[in-house]
Amino acid sequence: MNAKLFYETVKRMRKAQKNYFRTRLDCYLKESKELERQVDNVIEKTEDILRPKPIQQKLEI
């Protein structure tokens, strides 16, 4: 997911959340949860990429 698509997904997620809290309709809750799952997945993948990797030591025989 590129930055523009991530931005659009977050924007749609926030709109669905606001609609849910305004109306309490189940359709908005389901939409916001699905979009939250997508956003969380991108964040998790990005954190995995940015997390420092342990340095492998050479074993001497």
Side-chain angles (χ1 to χ4, degrees), residues 19-59:
N19 286 337
Y20 172 72
F21 286 112
R22 191 179 74 249
T23 65
R24 299 294 181 175
L25 292 175
D26 193 46
C27 62
Y28 292 126
L29 178 61
K30 288 178 183 177
E31 181 183 12
S32 67
K33 283 187 172 188
E34 171 59 26
L35 293 166
E36 285 176 27
R37 185 185 64 74
Q38 291 176 26
V39 168
D40 288 346
N41 286 342
V42 172
I43 291 171
E44 185 177 337
K45 287 178 184 178
T46 303
E47 286 176 342
D48 286 346
I49 292 169
L50 297 177
R51 187 175 297 118
K53 307 290 187 267
I55 298 173
Q56 294 183 354
Q57 296 180 357
K58 292 183 180 179
L59 297 175

